[in-house]
Amino acid sequence: MTSSEIKTHLLIIYTGGTIGMMKDPVSGALVPFDFEHIYDQMPILKNFDFKIDFHSFNPLIDSSNMKPSFWIQLAEIIEAKYELYDGFVVLHGSDTMAYTASALSFMLENLNKPVVFTGSQLPMDVIRTDGRENFLTAIEIAASKEDETSVVPEVCIFFENQLMRGNRTTKFNAERFNAFVSGNYPLLAEVGIHIRYQKNNILKPNFKKLKVHTKLDFNVTILKLFPGISESVVKSTLAIPGLKALILETFGSGNAPTDSWFINCLEEAIKNGLIIYNVTQCKSGSVDIGKYETSLDLGRIGVIGGYDITTESALAKLMYLIGEGYPKERVLELLQTSIRGEMTIE
Ligand code: ASP
């Protein structure tokens, strides 16, 4: 195939993680493999009639070291290369992939091309690796078009045999190849012999110009409730200097202790300007403030319900909305609006 016959151009961005690792023949340790030589390592790539380019992060990181500054770098690479490519595959460690995919979904407004995250539980050179299938299928999804338009023009995660909306995912298994769950949103595609796209579940392209948002505000934290949580834990969290928003990971459908010290602490913090966002600890289902007596007070003092948003997505959304500098009332409104398909409001 001559270069003029190649219609689809993809960019693979390698950030680190198991998928890009191989055992060093000398030391025996896992080291990142050199994508310069990917066609030698995986000659099957030559069978695709796509042009594939590679971009490696420097340094490559285990995704436990992922930071918002890397999200910004990633968004800027996609912005710089957006017009040159039809789709992007991001190779990323699975540990924090759901956070990065959520963040990118907010940072890339008007995305009309696929950004497919994938990774693996076993390195590429292990005989039973899941990386090979994940990588090849992610490439196929990123290249997939219908009437010159990308089939999946959104930030998504492909793992094992499931394509999921990125900002709906959570890593829920540290060992199984099927490592992610999208507890509140159906799959975008199921992969077996065929890639069965569920078109009704996929965001429609709007054909507007990509707008990249990189002004994230990091003054956001998470407080997970547990039976017996003490006043000093709650108070010291609320006393974090400069804190602008707190994700309160509540029980069940948004429930919390009714102790007066607890409610009073939160009420005072809200009066002093803190945004408190109620997100459930459950991997599936929605916050419903007022359903139980144990959430009535949260509603009364001004805690904002996050419906069925994941913690990963809530964190990214708050960093994005506050970073954009919207007035507080607008932030509160958008926290209860689905802006990138990240929550279901019935
Ligand atoms: N610790 C690795 C990472 O998240 C695991 C993986 O790649 O899946 O980078």
Side-chain angles (χ1 to χ4, degrees):
M1 173 151 313
T2 66
S3 56
S4 60
E5 283 173 292
I6 296 174
K7 291 215 173 62
T8 304
H9 289 197
L10 298 179
L11 182 65
I12 315 289
I13 303 170
Y14 175 39
T15 67
T18 307
I19 193 166
M21 303 274 176
M22 284 192 145
K23 208 171 247 178
D24 182 274
V26 181
S27 69
L30 285 177
V31 289
F33 84 60
D34 185 358
F35 274 103
E36 297 288 309
H37 302 120
I38 184 80
Y39 282 97
D40 300 331
Q41 310 270 15
M42 290 181 77
I44 198 160
L45 283 176
K46 293 183 192 139
N47 294 1
F48 282 130
D49 53 359
F50 318 135
K51 182 175 185 303
I52 299 175
D53 292 332
F54 291 90
H55 178 100
S56 272
F57 263 49
N58 188 10
L60 294 163
I61 53 164
D62 183 294
S63 79
S64 297
N65 282 319
M66 189 50 73
K67 300 196 172 45
S69 53
F70 286 85
W71 300 343
I72 293 171
Q73 233 179 296
L74 189 52
E76 285 175 345
I77 292 167
I78 293 174
E79 180 177 34
K81 308 281 185 181
Y82 192 71
E83 295 307 330
L84 301 175
Y85 295 94
D86 300 284
F88 301 84
V89 172
V90 182
L91 303 178
H92 192 292
S94 60
D95 290 349
T96 63
M97 188 184 287
Y99 288 90
T100 305
S102 296
L104 267 285
S105 78
F106 294 108
M107 295 167 82
L108 305 176
E109 186 179 353
N110 301 330
L111 184 67
N112 285 295
K113 297 181 181 182
V115 174
V116 187
F117 279 76
T118 197
S120 68
Q121 297 280 55
L122 283 174
M124 283 286 205
D125 64 340
V126 172
I127 294 174
R128 286 195 310 109
T129 186
D130 52 330
R132 188 175 176 279
E133 305 307 320
N134 286 351
F135 183 43
L136 296 175
T137 308
I139 290 176
E140 213 164 309
I141 292 168
S144 196
K145 285 189 188 178
E146 220 174 68
D147 302 331
E148 299 295 303
T149 304
S150 297
V151 175
V152 192
E154 56 172 294
V155 178
C156 46
I157 289 186
F158 176 71
F159 232 85
E160 174 71 344
N161 57 352
Q162 300 183 323
L163 184 70
M164 293 157 276
R165 175 165 301 155
N167 60 27
R168 292 293 197 145
T169 58
T170 296
K171 183 173 181 183
F172 85 115
N173 199 305
E175 289 182 16
R176 289 205 185 142
F177 289 155
N178 201 341
F180 288 87
V181 65
S182 170
N184 285 321
Y185 196 74
L187 299 179
L188 306 186
E190 209 161 345
V191 178
I193 293 176
H194 304 286
I195 302 181
R196 300 231 180 263
Y197 293 103
Q198 305 298 322
K199 298 222 174 97
N200 291 338
N201 301 338
I202 299 174
L203 293 174
K204 304 278 172 283
N206 64 8
F207 304 107
K208 290 187 187 163
K209 195 173 176 330
L210 179 75
K211 205 166 158 192
V212 178
H213 303 271
T214 53
K215 287 185 283 168
L216 304 177
D217 193 314
F218 309 143
N219 292 299
V220 180
T221 196
I222 303 170
L223 177 65
K224 180 172 183 154
L225 295 181
F226 55 91
I229 191 167
S230 69
E231 193 165 346
S232 61
V233 168
V234 175
K235 279 198 168 150
S236 47
T237 305
L238 294 173
I240 294 171
L243 188 67
K244 294 184 184 156
L246 171 79
I247 295 161
L248 188 67
E249 269 204 8
T250 55
F251 307 121
S253 52
N255 305 318
T258 51
D259 304 80
S260 51
W261 67 261
F262 178 74
I263 298 295
N264 293 345
C265 279
L266 298 189
E267 186 170 19
E268 195 188 318
I270 292 170
K271 280 193 183 136
N272 290 333
L274 188 72
I275 295 170
I276 303 188
Y277 202 29
N278 184 346
V279 174
T280 176
Q281 293 177 13
C282 299
K283 298 295 166 243
S284 185
S286 185
V287 162
D288 184 357
I289 293 184
K291 180 173 178 193
Y292 287 89
E293 193 198 356
T294 42
S295 65
L296 273 177
D297 278 340
L298 299 182
R300 178 182 59 74
I301 64 176
V303 170
I304 303 299
Y307 296 90
D308 61 352
I309 198 166
T310 60
T311 299
E312 292 87 336
S313 204
L315 184 82
K317 188 171 181 177
L318 279 161
M319 286 185 180
Y320 158 67
L321 290 177
I322 300 173
E324 279 300 289
Y326 288 116
K328 178 137 172 250
E329 281 315 307
R330 182 74 181 134
V331 173
L332 300 185
E333 201 182 312
L334 291 173
L335 285 174
Q336 294 171 95
T337 310
S338 184
I339 55 178
R340 303 278 195 275
E342 72 281 9
M343 47 193 208
T344 318
I345 298 172
E346 263 137 21

